[in-house]
Amino acid sequence: MTDSSLTTQYAKIALVIAAYWIVSISMVFLNSHLLSSENRLDAPLFITFTQCVVTVAVCLTLSGISRLFPKLCWFPECTLSRDRMLKLLPVSIFFVMMITFNNICLKYVGVAFYTVSRSLTTVFNVIFTYIILGQRTSFPALLCCGLIIAGFLLGVQQEDGAGSLNVIGVLSGILASVSLSLYSIYTKKVLKIVNDSVSLLSFYNNVNALILFIPLIAVSGELSLVAKFSLLGSPDWWTEIFIVGVFGFAIGYVTMLQIQVTSPLTHNVSGTAKACAQTVIAVIYSEQVKSALWWTSNALVLIGSAQYTRVRQVEMAKHHQEAPRAQRSGKGDKKRLLESV
């Protein structure tokens, strides 16, 4: 590879990582503004529903453009299949739980404490991977989970001591982590239903979400709040809804793009660094003063998450190196090889 092509490759990677950071951080702040601003609509289910509507509309638009102008862009054909919708329903339920509890968490805890309140995803991944898939986690990885739990508990204690702890927000963060963990695990099982297309899975998840949200919104009593909302006829408010919806679609795209141009490990490291920057920006923006222990809680969460990623990457590399030797000797453990892929 020549110096110029190498420079071009590095520039592409830098642009993709920058896009991921911009989209992800913007998404968090926009959602927080929409859910916790002074003139907010106190109906998180309805707001999440509207974001799903925008995502479905974007998917259909891109699918149409791809069909008419295949050289301009490519997007899978978004045609509904009742059979696919039913098969994907369990995953869509976890998807609905994930985005709903995520938005409720943002509504009550704000962006500064968001990283800590949502930090238990890795821990639940370990738990559910063992319960559902029967896969054990190494002791070094469990130590990293211990760091994350310690950071979470310290963060909660610091918020409580400062009088700013919101129990609903923290519980929503925990439930969002549980939902995300289950969603990630089951997504691997159902991707073949949509021909391994993450974009098509996003389309079906959001279509199913629209159907699931309708009874939830009706039962929650949010319809009366929506009907009384003073900004319901405001083009500016609907523009905000549309922008957040577009960012909701974009975050899935830039996440996959970052993994493609780098690696899953680099993506996780980038996500950890982004969470750190996001927390600092939130504290500066809100002009808050945090204690040393509060910052320590965030550091424990971020260090634990980054170290867990590194430990798992080393373990996976070791498994891949051992696999060919085990196959040549004829003594390979088939189950272990499958789990290492």
Side-chain angles (χ1 to χ4, degrees), residues 31 44 48-49 51-52 94-104 176 179 206 209 213:
N31 253 332
T48 311
F49 171 83
Q51 293 170 3
C52 292
F94 291 133
F95 173 76
V96 167
M97 292 172 60
M98 177 182 70
I99 58 177
T100 299
F101 287 123
N102 186 70
N103 280 349
I104 294 175
S179 306
N206 280 276
F213 269 124

Side-chain angles (χ1 to χ4, degrees), residues 232-254:
L232 195 61
S234 168
D236 291 340
W237 187 78
W238 283 107
T239 300
E240 288 182 10
I241 290 287
F242 176 76
I243 291 173
V244 175
V246 171
F247 270 89
F249 168 83
I251 188 62
Y253 177 77
V254 293

Side-chain angles (χ1 to χ4, degrees), residues 16-237:
V16 169
I17 292 175
Y20 170 77
W21 277 47
I22 292 169
V23 171
S24 183
I25 293 176
S26 299
M27 176 72 179
V28 172
F29 275 92
L30 286 169
N31 253 332
S32 179
H33 169 74
L34 203 59
L35 292 159
S36 58
S37 63
E38 186 177 346
N39 296 321
R40 71 183 184 276
L41 170 60
D42 193 15
L45 292 177
F46 176 78
I47 289 176
T48 311
F49 171 83
T50 60
Q51 293 170 3
C52 292
V53 171
V54 173
T55 299
V56 171
V58 171
C59 288
L60 290 172
T61 301
L62 291 176
S63 178
I65 293 174
S66 178
R67 188 168 56 253
L68 294 174
F69 308 100
K71 293 183 179 180
L72 183 63
C73 77
W74 183 89
F75 199 84
E77 187 175 355
C78 294
T79 54
L80 286 176
S81 163
R82 182 172 174 272
D83 183 55
R84 275 181 172 175
M85 289 176 66
L86 290 174
K87 288 180 179 178
L88 294 172
L89 184 59
V91 173
S92 297
I93 291 173
F94 291 133
F95 173 76
V96 167
M97 292 172 60
M98 177 182 70
I99 58 177
T100 299
F101 287 123
N102 186 70
N103 280 349
I104 294 175
C105 176
L106 265 176
K107 174 184 174 182
Y108 287 107
V109 305
V111 180
F113 190 59
Y114 178 70
T115 299
V116 173
S117 62
R118 287 290 318 278
S119 62
L120 296 180
T121 301
T122 299
V123 177
F124 286 119
N125 270 340
V126 170
I127 294 172
F128 291 128
T129 297
Y130 176 73
I131 294 174
I132 297 170
L133 303 178
Q135 296 180 9
R136 296 180 180 275
T137 303
S138 67
F139 183 69
L142 290 177
L143 285 178
C144 298
C145 290
L147 273 181
I148 296 171
I149 294 172
F152 173 81
L153 293 176
L154 179 59
V156 169
Q157 186 271 331
Q158 287 298 298
E159 288 287 304
D160 189 32
S164 55
L165 179 69
N166 187 289
V167 177
I168 296 177
V170 173
L171 289 176
S172 297
I174 294 172
L175 291 172
S177 297
V178 170
S179 306
L180 174 57
S181 176
L182 290 170
Y183 175 74
S184 301
I185 290 172
Y186 281 100
T187 292
K188 297 176 183 177
K189 293 187 172 185
V190 301
L191 266 175
K192 59 185 177 183
I193 298 174
V194 288
N195 302 321
D196 293 322
S197 171
V198 176
S199 298
L200 199 54
L201 178 62
S202 175
F203 171 70
Y204 273 100
N205 273 335
N206 280 276
V207 170
N208 277 340
L210 295 180
I211 298 170
L212 292 169
F213 269 124
I214 291 173
L216 291 175
I217 293 171
V219 171
S220 68
E222 286 190 1
L223 284 177
S224 60
L225 294 174
V226 173
K228 298 174 184 177
F229 185 51
S230 60
L231 298 179
L232 195 61
S234 168
D236 291 340
W237 187 78

